[in-house]
Amino acid sequence: MATVTSKTLARTAAATSSTTLYTVPASTTAVVTDIQVCNSAASAATFTITLDAVDLIKTASIAANSTASFELKQVLTTTKIIAGLASAITVNFHISGVEIV
C-alpha cells in the first residue's frame, strides 16, 4: 500500500540563475500542490519556475513587498526536478506538495 506524506518540497531564496529546488527521490512520485513566491524587496522582480525542464511560470513579475500564490496539481515522477530563478535574491520560493512511496 502506498504511503502519502505531505511536505515542504522547497523553501529557499531564489538564485539569479536556474537552480534545482527539489528532485523527486528514487521510488517516489511527487505531487506539487502549492507554490508561494515572496518578494521582500522595495522594487519589483521577476521569477521563473520549471517542472522537469518545462516552463510552468515564465518570467512572471512580482511587485515589491508582495506574495504570489499558485494552487495546482502537477505530478512528477522519480528523478524529475523543480527548478527556479529570479531577477533578485530577495525573491523566496515555498513549494508544498505530497510524496507517494
Side-chain angles (χ1 to χ4, degrees):
M1 180 172 207
T3 300
V4 179
T5 305
S6 297
K7 66 185 304 185
T8 299
L9 304 178
R11 183 181 293 161
T12 187
T16 55
S17 60
S18 186
T19 303
T20 298
L21 303 173
Y22 171 78
T23 303
V24 181
S27 303
T28 303
T29 298
V31 181
V32 181
T33 57
D34 298 283
I35 299 174
Q36 306 290 317
V37 182
C38 178
N39 179 14
S40 60
S43 58
T46 61
F47 67 95
T48 296
I49 295 177
T50 63
L51 301 180
D52 191 28
V54 175
D55 291 335
L56 176 67
I57 305 166
K58 176 75 172 168
T59 319
S61 294
I62 184 164
N65 299 308
S66 67
T67 301
S69 299
F70 305 90
E71 288 186 30
L72 59 148
K73 302 290 184 281
Q74 292 294 307
V75 176
L76 296 172
T77 56
T78 297
T79 72
K80 301 302 182 191
I81 292 171
I82 301 171
L85 68 120
S87 62
I89 60 171
T90 55
V91 174
N92 293 289
F93 297 124
H94 179 95
I95 302 172
S96 299
V98 297
E99 286 183 340
I100 305 163
V101 180

